[in-house]
Amino acid sequence: MREVYPLWRLIVLLVRESSRHVGAAATSAALRETLDRERLVSVDQFDRSFAASRLTPGTNLIALYAALGGIVAGPLGAVAAVTIGLLPAALMSIAVCAFYLTVGESDSVTQVVRGASAAAWAVLVWSASRFLVPPARQHLFATALLVLLTLGLGSAGVPIVVLLLLSAVFGALLLKPQAP
Amino acid sequence: MSSYALFLVFVQAVLLSQSGWASVAVVRDALVEQRAILTDGRLTAFLALSQVTPGPLGFYLLFVGYSVHGWMGVLAAWLALMLPSFLVVPIIRVIERQQHAQWLRGATTGVVVGSAALMLLTARTLAQTAVPSPMHIGIAIVAIVALTAWRMPSLVVVALGGAVGLASL
């Protein structure tokens, strides 16, 4: 049983990771490793929070923060994690937006955004791999099969919430942790 | 349009979506089609910005709020983004009571894998616009190396990608 640190340590890490990363995928992947390394929230607790955040309405990262804060310090922790944990990232993003609105559309701005978008695309791919490696180590075939099924059904237009519920059922049947 | 009315639009958009950008349709319908206080071009630009700035993609609502109503619009968007997230708190409490159940651990792993697959699906959908040229493919490859081998924060990687884009002008 991992020891749970105070709420303030969690918030410091939430602030740090949300300010250093772009997008929910990268932030979540980084947090999963950081919180486990810092012995704040176990990988299992993080995965449960991540899964719950994916199945609730709204922005997944914000719900993930609420879940992590709730695990550490109940409802007050959830409020603190959401409001404080993402505030610096929000302010930084608004500053960029304000600059963009001031400068307006130009070739320079367009080229910067295109270059940044290419890198952000790579971040998305990298983030996916960070989540796939641990389960693939234990269940390579089942993980690959679930990925292919999700890609296929997702391409066919199956709603995200249905895909995630099917993934949960698949995981309950075929991705249970192996005995040590 | 009052900031309270803007807040209601944002809340509706967030509650009816399952991820950051899924709320775009509601926002577009309310602000572009019905009220014409936002243009498609500006909305598209905000979506692009949300990909390259810190925080989740859903933060594009902050940009919309700022554009439409200044800091009151940002506050409206902030509250609309935050409030629905607390729905997860009672859910996680129920889940934590079952934490030792093997089926639950498998189910959460399944959702994690499914989510990662959805990330790859999104990447495939965005590939044509995000990496349209050999230069952009090169940026993406170097970015993956930087993230994997040098463990660079993604914000730095994206900023460097933007710098390369500017240098190519």
Side-chain angles (χ1 to χ4, degrees), chain A residues 29-177:
Chain A
L31 267 176
R32 190 172 189 261
E33 296 170 7
T34 300
L35 294 178
D36 181 54
R37 189 172 57 245
E38 297 289 331
R39 293 179 166 270
L40 227 103
V41 175
S42 70
V43 168
D44 284 345
Q45 283 179 313
F46 183 92
D47 284 351
R48 288 192 292 272
S49 302
F50 184 83
S53 74
R54 293 290 294 177
L55 294 170
T56 49
T59 303
N60 301 141
L61 185 65
I62 301 174
L64 175 63
Y65 273 39
L68 293 172
I71 285 175
V72 172
L76 182 63
V79 173
V82 164
T83 54
I84 304 172
L86 284 165
L87 189 58
L91 292 175
M92 289 164 65
S93 296
I94 293 167
V96 171
C97 174
F99 176 77
Y100 171 81
L101 290 174
T102 304
V103 170
E105 287 286 347
S106 68
D107 284 345
S108 303
V109 171
T110 301
Q111 288 304 320
V112 168
V113 173
R114 281 187 182 163
S117 294
W121 181 87
V123 168
L124 182 61
V125 173
W126 170 81
S127 302
S129 73
R130 301 307 296 169
F131 281 109
L132 287 174
V133 166
R137 282 197 183 122
Q138 281 210 340
H139 306 278
L140 178 60
F141 177 74
T143 300
L145 180 61
L146 180 54
V147 169
L148 289 173
L149 283 173
T150 306
L151 289 174
L153 292 174
S155 299
V158 176
I160 290 177
V161 67
V162 174
L163 287 173
L164 293 176
L165 288 172
L166 288 174
S167 297
V169 172
F170 185 102
L173 296 172
L174 294 176
L175 292 174
K176 285 183 278 196

Side-chain angles (χ1 to χ4, degrees), chain A residues 7-20 27 31 34-41 65 85:
Chain A
L7 177 60
W8 71 269
R9 273 216 71 198
L10 173 69
I11 290 175
V12 166
L13 289 173
L14 294 180
V15 167
R16 189 182 81 181
E17 297 303 340
S18 66
S19 302
R20 286 159 43 116
T27 308
L31 267 176
T34 300
L35 294 178
D36 181 54
R37 189 172 57 245
E38 297 289 331
R39 293 179 166 270
L40 227 103
V41 175
Y65 273 39

Side-chain angles (χ1 to χ4, degrees), chain B residues 57-119:
Chain B
L57 298 181
F59 271 7
Y60 86 91
L61 286 178
L62 299 176
F63 307 157
V64 172
Y66 183 79
S67 167
V68 172
H69 233 291
W71 285 102
M72 287 305 293
V74 171
L75 181 61
W78 182 256
L79 289 172
L81 284 167
M82 302 295 134
L83 291 175
S85 71
F86 298 120
L87 289 171
V88 78
V89 176
I91 294 172
I92 199 65
R93 291 182 79 173
V94 170
I95 290 175
E96 285 298 294
R97 288 197 198 111
Q98 300 291 326
Q99 61 178 283
H100 298 299
Q102 296 292 84
W103 68 267
L104 179 64
R105 296 176 73 182
T108 55
T109 301
V111 174
V112 169
V113 172
S115 300
L118 288 172
M119 293 175 198

